[in-house]
Amino acid sequence: MLLKFLGTGTSQGIPVIGSHHPVCLSTNQKDKRLRTSALITSDSGKKILIDCGPDFRQQMLTHHEEQIDAVLITHEHNDHIIGLDDLRPLIFKNKSSMPIYCNARVAAEVKNRFPYAFREHKYPGAPSFDLFEIDNQFKLFDEVEVQPIDIIHSEINILGFKLKNMAYITDASKIDEKEKEKLKHLDVFIINCLRKKEPHHSHFILPQVLDLVDELKPKKTYLIHISHQLGFHDEVENELPDNVHLAYDGLEIEF
């Protein structure tokens, strides 16, 4: 399978509006980060979107993507779901509702924010979503096994996702020991990393991520949900261990 990073930035993206921080002024394309999201292509060509934030339309157009077959949602914060309405042209193209997989709390929030997608009599042009509440392992398209991972994001429980021997986790501030057992010795570990210093109440920072990598021992780790405070891509990449990398928008990896 193939994973493409559609976005690797934190909730404000990089550059931040009005910021004159050197990273926000960088001309290196790898320092320009849209809100975090990823697109997985299965072996049969099915397209699985992880999170659908405010940059979804721009991401799809930039990367010349024209297909989404299912959506996995980690949690309900705006930078992860507010782009769902932009699925409309793909829903109309498929002539069927878009399947969305999430936990029960997120499902309720999607209904609350997009009530027009669930009405019996929709206005012309409204999207249509099929919500599937998940708490255990499930299979997409009779092909792709998806194992949800319980993650703590400040004071709420959110989901990470494990497919094959790859795990995708964003917005984590803590992972319980039981869930860590599912994440040991991965081929690919994708994890959020906000900045280098100053602990954050709802996101891992670099020292915490490196400790986690030492504990879980993945073959390769890619950092996402990055803020400008982490630093310039090229400089940070050179400072990291050989098996840890900064993801960047448009990067593709196989797993």
Side-chain angles (χ1 to χ4, degrees):
M1 291 198 285
L2 182 73
L3 183 144
K4 179 185 290 185
F5 294 95
L6 298 180
T8 55
T10 189
S11 59
Q12 298 182 80
I14 304 174
V16 176
I17 294 173
S19 174
H20 298 279
H21 187 282
V23 174
C24 290
L25 300 177
S26 172
T27 59
N28 184 348
Q29 195 60 37
K30 292 180 180 178
D31 288 323
K32 300 182 185 301
R33 301 181 184 277
L34 299 177
R35 268 62 73 93
T36 289
S37 176
L39 185 63
I40 293 171
T41 304
S42 74
D43 293 337
S44 70
K46 294 291 188 180
K47 300 280 189 175
I48 304 164
L49 179 68
I50 304 181
D51 286 340
C52 189
D55 298 322
F56 170 71
R57 175 181 174 275
Q58 181 181 350
Q59 291 164 340
M60 292 290 283
L61 293 172
T62 297
H63 298 293
H64 308 288
E65 295 288 349
E66 301 178 356
Q67 174 187 345
I68 300 291
D69 297 295
V71 182
L72 307 178
I73 299 294
T74 61
H75 64 296
E76 69 271 32
H77 289 165
N78 264 7
D79 55 320
H80 296 268
I81 71 164
I82 207 61
L84 287 173
D85 186 82
D86 283 333
L87 288 163
R88 283 183 294 153
L90 304 179
I91 293 169
F92 303 151
K93 178 181 178 181
N94 294 339
K95 298 181 179 179
S96 62
S97 298
M98 181 64 68
I100 298 175
Y101 297 80
C102 55
N103 68 24
R105 187 193 70 243
V106 173
E109 195 59 37
V110 170
K111 289 180 180 178
N112 182 54
R113 295 191 206 179
F114 303 95
Y116 52 87
F118 301 95
R119 289 179 182 146
E120 183 177 355
H121 303 290
K122 297 182 179 69
Y123 67 81
S128 182
F129 303 146
D130 282 338
L131 288 173
F132 296 90
E133 297 178 10
I134 56 173
D135 54 15
N136 292 304
Q137 186 167 318
F138 62 99
K139 184 176 283 190
L140 287 173
F141 323 118
D142 293 322
E143 175 191 7
V144 181
E145 293 281 354
V146 181
Q147 182 175 20
I149 308 292
D150 289 325
I151 305 297
I152 298 171
H153 176 35
S154 186
E155 297 180 355
I156 64 171
N157 289 88
I158 68 174
L159 294 179
F161 299 103
K162 182 178 179 182
L163 293 81
K164 296 176 67 173
N165 207 28
M166 181 280 297
Y168 182 98
I169 293 171
T170 184
D171 288 42
S173 56
K174 183 180 178 182
I175 305 174
D176 288 338
E177 295 302 316
K178 179 182 176 182
E179 298 304 291
K180 284 182 182 179
E181 290 298 318
K182 303 172 186 176
L183 301 173
K184 289 184 176 178
H185 306 290
L186 294 165
D187 290 334
V188 177
F189 183 41
I190 299 169
I191 184 72
N192 60 295
C193 183
L194 191 69
R195 57 197 184 201
K196 287 184 179 179
K197 301 178 181 178
E198 300 178 28
H200 194 273
H201 71 282
S202 61
H203 292 275
F204 284 140
I205 62 171
L206 185 57
Q208 294 171 312
V209 169
L210 294 180
D211 286 346
L212 194 60
V213 168
D214 286 341
E215 180 181 359
L216 300 179
K217 295 179 172 49
K219 291 180 181 177
K220 284 188 178 181
T221 297
Y222 293 90
L223 309 183
I224 59 170
H225 211 282
I226 294 164
S227 82
H228 60 285
Q229 294 172 324
L230 188 63
F232 293 102
H233 178 278
D234 291 352
E235 292 181 3
V236 177
E237 179 74 15
N238 287 333
E239 296 169 357
L240 294 172
D242 290 342
N243 63 335
V244 180
H245 304 279
L246 289 190
Y248 55 86
D249 294 17
L251 173 66
E252 295 182 337
I253 58 173
E254 292 186 0
F255 67 95

